[in-house]
Amino acid sequence: MNPLGTGDPLRLGPYRLIGVLGVGGMGKVYLGRDDTGRPAAVKVLRPELAYDGHLVQRFVREAHAAESVRSKGVARVLGAQMEGGRPWIATEFLAGPTLDHAVESYGAFGNAATRALGAVLARTLRDVHAAGLVHRDLKPSNIVLTSGGPRLIDFGIARPEHGLTLTTTGQAPVTPGFGPPEQVVGRRVGPAADIFALGAVLTYAATGERAFSGDHVAAVQYEVVHGEPRLDALPPDLRALVAPCLAKDAAWRPTPDQVIKALAPPRNADSAWTSGALADDIAERERNASRLSALQGDGEPTQGSGLSGITGISRRKLIVGLSTGAVLAAGGGVVWWLSTGDGTGGSAPWEADLLADYEEGTPPPALWGPIRTGAHEASVPLPVRDLVLVTATNGDVRAYDVRDGERRWSADGAEPSAGTAAPAAHSETAFTADASGGLLALKTEDGSRQWTAAADVRTVLAADGGAVYVTTNDNRLRAVSVTSHEPLWTVSPPVRSTAERAVRAVTADGILVVYGSDGKVAGVAAGTGKTVWGPEEQGSGFLTPAVSDDTVYLGGRRLRALALADGKERWARPAAGAGWGSPALAGELLFAGDGAELKACKAVDGGVDWTLTLMNEGRVREAPAPQGNTAWVVLGERGTEGVATVDVRSGKKAWPPLRSGPGRWRSAVAGNRAFLLSGGELTAMPVF
């Protein structure tokens, strides 16, 4: 959670605002408290959108939809103001993991717990339908697990049962794999649509796998309409209950009452979220949220110091406990997921405590290290859950425990090229090249080989749920399916890629953004390999893009924000020095080197928040690594000048740059740790 900033309101209706929980496309969400100390999530429509009739109508619909449902299974609307320049909605504050995070962190639910979950959700859907609504977006990320049981959130696209039109042109009408066939093809949907989604949710809860999957969105939607659900991993008795929910014909699906009766969970089946590690997780988050709002003091907060009123306990620890995993329901249930950036999406048992304070000018002791890893000069530390991966000079991928630096496993790989030696990872799988140029998929838990594919790989670029993107030995761009393990497409890249300097790439929302050594950037359709925008001249090649939501940020001659879907420029800021380096995003700020300076720019418009000179000359090329209130910045054109540590609150150096002799520095952050790699040695440093 971030403190209130310039332009943020101090109070909305009866709610004193404490801090900023998140920012989305339609609005900003604040943590607030009323005069009794009760916390609330307060969503405010963006001022620039308050004049858009369609968006205001949708904002109003969110409030009315959630308000009309009388059920303890949804987040309650506490208040709303629809008139004036700042429309807002306040809802019950929910601090707990979503179902998808719970499954990822603690494993799939057992038979009894899945039945209990299904019964609660079916009762909630019965209440939603009784209010004359269809939720239309039931999925694991819209189910919050609280101490009082599962809660259904996000009524942003809920509509009356008789409503037909769901979205405006260009908006996705359904979450792939959870919406029913009739919703996929754009036909009228009724309550049975939510039952189909319930069946898909229960399959995921019980197995950890989706009922419908594919290499890309279109393939998943095709399976929903024409294919059969994958239910083999379900216990036979549960499969018999779930299968009817996933019927193609809505008329054949059961009603919520029939689902409730069929599930019939045994006594104490809700122990999955009332006892054990998951329950402890929920309880800790709820305690932190309650204490944070209760200990604000009686004075009004001021902008820029929204969390300064806490005394008697560690404010910093409370913020960490809240922000590393709180699911926040606001504006009829719109969810903001506040992640620590380690890929887990929440507070995990391997996370470190934030450094409570530091002595300015004096670096704190390392958490562990330096340890000898034999890492290649081009290797970049890759945190994946409780491990950090590096690539050795002989091509081995080596995994070290983030808590103590102990080596957990090593797996054979191909000798790295001159360009990059970093593997890519998605979920719990790491991808690298094997000695024969094949694509190798490793289970991150133990390094075991999951599969290999003949792909003529030179460099692994990126991975998502459908494919792994690589460059080949003849410098082409290729996508390899993570399900069939076959190449999906191979194309000549729209930007230059060489054996020594392969493209750098990121993937998000079906777009692979590639930045070439010729300083050009382009967007490639992840499903087909077709260039959908660009190439555009950006200058200063071999930089890595950054992506957040629907925007891609680029360094070069100008620091630019482009629409991810079509490459349209949203803003640009010329370089004052030798050129912008690779950017990194943290909350509402974008950090990037501008020549020898580090600048913090507002992600929304590129306005400079602060500037810090890091070197007398040279250039900061690599992306800073921000975490907490700290940013770790590798210095020099080739990263050989050490690592500066910056307090992002003040824009000042926390202590002198870390240097340990010649060698190229690389950095990564996750789980409140900074991982620094130089000369083959890996060190974990604390974050404040």
Side-chain angles (χ1 to χ4, degrees):
M1 181 169 66
N2 294 319
L4 299 178
T6 303
D8 286 326
L10 301 178
R11 180 178 286 273
L12 289 169
Y15 297 99
R16 176 194 300 176
L17 303 186
I18 299 169
V20 180
L21 296 171
V23 180
M26 285 184 64
K28 184 178 285 190
V29 182
Y30 301 93
L31 175 63
R33 67 183 287 263
D34 63 16
D35 293 337
T36 68
R38 179 175 60 171
V42 185
K43 179 185 177 185
V44 183
L45 189 66
R46 287 179 180 270
E48 64 269 25
L49 301 181
Y51 301 100
D52 186 320
H54 171 76
L55 292 178
V56 172
Q57 184 182 32
R58 177 177 168 184
F59 195 76
V60 171
R61 190 174 71 235
E62 285 184 25
H64 290 169
E67 212 168 17
S68 65
V69 179
R70 297 291 183 263
S71 174
K72 66 179 183 179
V74 302
R76 292 178 295 115
V77 174
L78 304 176
Q81 168 86 35
M82 292 298 133
E83 303 296 330
R86 288 186 183 270
W88 58 267
I89 308 168
T91 69
E92 185 180 6
F93 180 91
L94 301 180
T98 53
L99 176 61
D100 54 348
H101 170 63
V103 170
E104 289 172 3
S105 298
Y106 303 103
F109 286 18
N111 192 322
T114 301
R115 287 173 176 267
L117 173 72
V120 173
L121 294 176
R123 283 194 291 269
T124 302
L125 289 177
R126 181 179 59 188
D127 296 335
V128 171
H129 299 162
L133 295 171
V134 181
H135 187 278
R136 297 176 181 251
D137 200 21
L138 179 63
K139 56 186 176 182
S141 60
N142 279 345
I143 299 163
V144 183
L145 300 177
T146 74
S147 57
R151 307 287 284 276
L152 180 58
I153 60 176
D154 199 349
F155 285 80
I157 62 172
R159 295 185 70 89
E161 179 182 340
H162 59 271
L164 176 61
T165 303
L166 178 60
T167 62
T168 58
T169 301
Q171 290 179 302
V174 59
T175 300
F178 293 95
E182 62 268 27
Q183 194 171 358
V184 171
V185 300
R187 293 199 295 265
R188 187 186 303 275
V189 303
D194 289 341
I195 298 300
F196 183 99
L198 176 62
V201 164
L202 296 182
T203 301
Y204 176 82
T207 67
E209 303 292 337
R210 292 191 175 200
F212 301 93
S213 61
D215 297 333
H216 46 79
V217 171
V220 176
Q221 301 294 55
Y222 181 90
E223 288 298 311
V224 168
V225 177
H226 302 288
E228 293 300 321
R230 302 177 184 182
L231 305 179
D232 292 343
L234 286 171
D237 58 336
L238 197 55
R239 188 188 315 151
L241 300 176
V242 169
C245 297
L246 297 172
K248 305 295 185 190
D249 188 338
W252 288 94
R253 297 174 203 149
T255 65
D257 281 329
Q258 290 171 325
V259 172
I260 295 167
K261 183 177 180 180
L263 287 171
R267 186 188 299 271
N268 298 324
D270 61 353
S271 60
W273 57 84
T274 59
S275 63
L278 176 56
D280 294 340
D281 187 352
I282 294 168
E284 179 63 20
R285 299 180 194 198
E286 293 179 340
R287 279 195 299 271
N288 286 339
S290 176
R291 293 162 69 190
L292 182 59
S293 70
L295 292 172
Q296 286 301 298
D298 296 328
E300 290 281 75
T302 60
Q303 277 140 330
S305 61
L307 302 170
S308 61
I310 294 180
T311 58
I313 61 171
S314 169
R315 171 174 62 88
R316 197 177 305 276
K317 286 189 175 182
L318 282 183
I319 297 170
V320 174
L322 175 61
S323 66
T324 57
V327 172
L328 312 168
V334 176
V335 183
W336 267 259
W337 181 254
L338 302 182
S339 170
T340 59
D342 63 357
T344 68
S347 180
W350 54 82
E351 286 186 357
D353 289 334
L354 284 176
L355 194 64
D357 206 352
Y358 67 92
E359 183 179 348
E360 188 172 343
T362 303
L367 295 172
W368 50 260
I371 59 172
R372 296 291 302 174
T373 66
H376 188 272
E377 181 190 48
S379 180
V380 178
L382 178 64
V384 184
R385 295 173 64 85
D386 60 337
L387 299 174
V388 56
L389 312 183
V390 301
T391 302
T393 53
N394 65 355
D396 289 354
V397 177
R398 296 173 179 172
Y400 298 86
D401 195 303
V402 299
R403 289 160 290 205
D404 54 21
E406 290 293 321
R407 189 196 288 193
R408 290 261 293 273
W409 54 261
S410 180
D412 294 340
E415 186 174 339
S417 66
T420 178
H426 181 75
S427 186
E428 296 181 29
T429 304
F431 303 97
T432 190
D434 66 16
S436 64
L439 180 62
L440 173 60
L442 301 170
K443 188 176 182 180
T444 56
E445 180 182 4
D446 56 13
S448 59
R449 181 175 298 209
Q450 293 186 297
W451 53 264
T452 58
D456 191 30
V457 179
R458 184 171 189 88
T459 303
V460 178
L461 300 176
D464 57 26
V468 185
Y469 307 94
V470 304
T471 61
T472 63
N473 283 310
D474 57 358
N475 296 320
R476 293 190 293 172
L477 198 59
R478 175 169 291 163
V480 181
S481 168
V482 297
T483 53
S484 70
H485 314 153
E486 296 291 333
L488 294 172
W489 49 260
T490 304
V491 299
S492 295
V495 298
R496 183 188 301 154
S497 180
T498 66
E500 293 74 24
R501 303 187 74 183
V503 299
R504 292 198 177 183
V506 293
T507 179
D509 291 340
I511 299 292
L512 181 72
V513 181
V514 290
Y515 203 136
S517 58
D518 55 0
K520 295 181 179 179
V521 64
V524 175
T528 65
K530 180 181 178 181
T531 300
V532 294
W533 55 264
E536 294 191 14
E537 183 67 42
Q538 184 67 20
S540 302
F542 214 50
L543 300 176
T544 304
V547 175
S548 178
D549 296 327
D550 60 351
T551 305
V552 57
Y553 302 92
L554 303 164
R557 293 195 185 98
R558 294 182 296 162
L559 184 66
R560 300 171 74 203
L562 307 182
L564 179 62
D566 58 17
K568 290 183 178 178
E569 186 175 280
R570 292 180 169 165
W571 56 259
R573 175 167 289 277
W580 291 95
S582 300
L585 191 72
E588 298 180 25
L589 289 178
L590 192 69
F591 301 97
D594 183 3
E597 296 177 333
L598 178 69
K599 290 183 178 178
C601 301
K602 294 180 174 63
V604 67
D605 59 11
V608 176
D609 198 63
W610 51 256
T611 299
L612 173 64
T613 300
L614 294 176
M615 301 178 289
N616 294 327
E617 58 183 13
R619 182 181 177 192
V620 176
R621 176 178 282 272
E622 295 300 324
Q627 179 101 147
N629 293 313
T630 320
W632 301 80
V633 188
V634 174
L635 303 176
E637 182 78 18
R638 286 186 46 80
T640 57
E641 304 302 316
V643 179
T645 311
V646 179
D647 188 329
V648 300
R649 295 167 296 188
S650 60
K652 296 180 179 179
K653 292 180 184 178
W655 48 77
L658 302 177
R659 296 184 175 93
S660 60
R664 190 172 185 177
W665 287 79
R666 300 283 191 162
S667 66
V669 289
N672 300 329
R673 297 176 182 87
F675 301 101
L676 307 179
L677 185 61
S678 177
E681 294 186 334
L682 181 65
T683 303
M685 293 293 293
V687 168
F688 54 80

